[in-house]
Amino acid sequence: LSKNDPGHRVARQMLARLYLLTMRPNELRQQIIALDAMPDKRIDTDMLMLYCIGARTRWLQKEPREWLENALKLDPANAPVRAALAQTLVQSDEREAARKLLAEAPQSSGTSQWPVTLLQIEDLLETGGGDQAATMIGGLDPAAQNEIRYWIARGRILLEKNENKEALAVFTDAMARDPLHPEPVYRVARLRLQAGAEKEARGLFERAELLGRLNLAAKRTLENSNIQ
């Protein structure tokens, strides 16, 4: 698909994810360069993190976090960069620093701040703020729906409302949108287990665990590789 339609962003993003998981950094870098050259510069935060990892040698061997910090100094209004840096802080168990960074985001009358807002919604879901998260997600730019984390957050909001049937539909759809992401698979597995479908749930749990290990191994491999 990416060959027949070189401007197909979603196809290239999925191909980049596959190259990440199969530990092919040179091919990953080619896809990232192609994405960066597209007229539409909007890029989801997962892809931005891949960009930082995949192209790290072009920034004097700097770690993705350092590159993101420098990028944000140059462009404080860049919401995807701010959100990606906040994600990095969360992954390093620096949640308070991530909250501060998100709170310092420049106010905008438009909807371009959705990457920042989405992270704030995820934080609310972690801290018992499901009602506020539900209100905020309704006001997100439709562009947020291109990121799998939007659908995971929407499913979690439905779970907090005990709307399990609707949550199952959302997480199942999320699995189809991004077959390589472990969380929707895990969420579906839990819901199927609760419904008594033990055999199906067991297979889904195994799949989620495998995807989680693949993502972690691929990330570590790229972080330790020298990409030419």
Side-chain angles (χ1 to χ4, degrees):
L1 181 57
S2 64
K3 288 182 179 178
N4 295 333
D5 184 0
H8 198 301
R9 175 175 293 279
V10 175
R12 285 198 179 276
Q13 287 180 339
M14 185 60 72
L15 189 57
R17 290 285 303 281
L18 286 167
Y19 284 144
L20 175 67
L21 288 176
T22 53
M23 305 179 190
R24 295 164 65 180
N26 291 327
E27 290 91 338
L28 168 62
R29 181 173 179 271
Q30 291 171 6
Q31 293 303 320
I32 289 172
I33 290 172
L35 281 163
D36 191 48
M38 289 183 177
D40 179 4
K41 289 296 182 182
R42 282 190 315 200
I43 187 167
D44 67 44
T45 48
D46 283 342
M47 284 306 303
L48 186 56
M49 290 302 292
L50 294 185
Y51 192 103
C52 295
I53 295 170
R56 63 183 294 219
T57 55
R58 292 194 290 163
W59 287 295
L60 305 176
Q61 298 292 336
K62 293 178 181 177
E63 293 295 331
R65 174 170 171 172
E66 185 177 353
W67 180 83
L68 287 167
E69 289 172 342
N70 291 336
L72 191 61
K73 288 178 183 177
L74 294 173
D75 186 5
N78 191 312
V81 169
R82 183 177 295 273
L85 178 55
Q87 271 188 295
T88 302
L89 293 171
V90 169
Q91 291 164 1
S92 301
D93 294 325
E94 299 178 58
R95 191 169 290 274
E96 287 301 323
R99 288 174 182 148
K100 182 175 183 294
L101 185 69
L102 295 175
E104 292 171 349
Q107 296 299 311
S108 172
S109 58
T111 53
S112 62
Q113 294 295 309
W114 69 261
V116 168
T117 306
L118 181 56
L119 261 180
Q120 291 173 325
I121 289 169
E122 291 171 331
D123 186 51
L124 286 167
L125 289 169
E126 292 293 330
T127 55
D131 290 341
Q132 186 178 352
T135 300
M136 291 173 66
I137 204 167
L140 282 179
D141 187 318
Q145 297 180 23
N146 293 324
E147 182 155 351
I148 191 65
R149 289 170 38 242
Y150 168 89
W151 297 102
I152 293 172
R154 182 168 286 282
R156 292 180 64 185
I157 289 169
L158 290 168
L159 282 179
E160 292 211 357
K161 295 179 179 180
N162 292 319
E163 298 178 10
N164 288 4
K165 182 177 179 181
E166 292 79 1
L168 177 61
V170 169
F171 288 130
T172 301
D173 179 62
M175 284 173 54
R177 289 174 181 271
D178 187 351
L180 304 177
H181 201 298
E183 185 165 354
V185 182
Y186 174 76
R187 297 282 181 177
V188 170
R190 288 193 62 178
L191 287 167
R192 295 304 293 146
L193 183 61
Q194 291 172 12
E198 295 184 9
K199 184 176 180 180
E200 180 186 355
R202 188 180 303 112
L204 288 167
F205 278 126
E206 291 174 356
R207 175 180 165 188
E209 183 181 3
L210 176 61
L211 287 172
R213 290 203 306 265
L214 283 172
N215 275 281
L216 181 60
K219 180 181 178 182
R220 286 175 176 170
T221 297
L222 280 180
E223 286 175 342
N224 294 325
S225 67
N226 289 318
I227 302 173
Q228 303 300 322

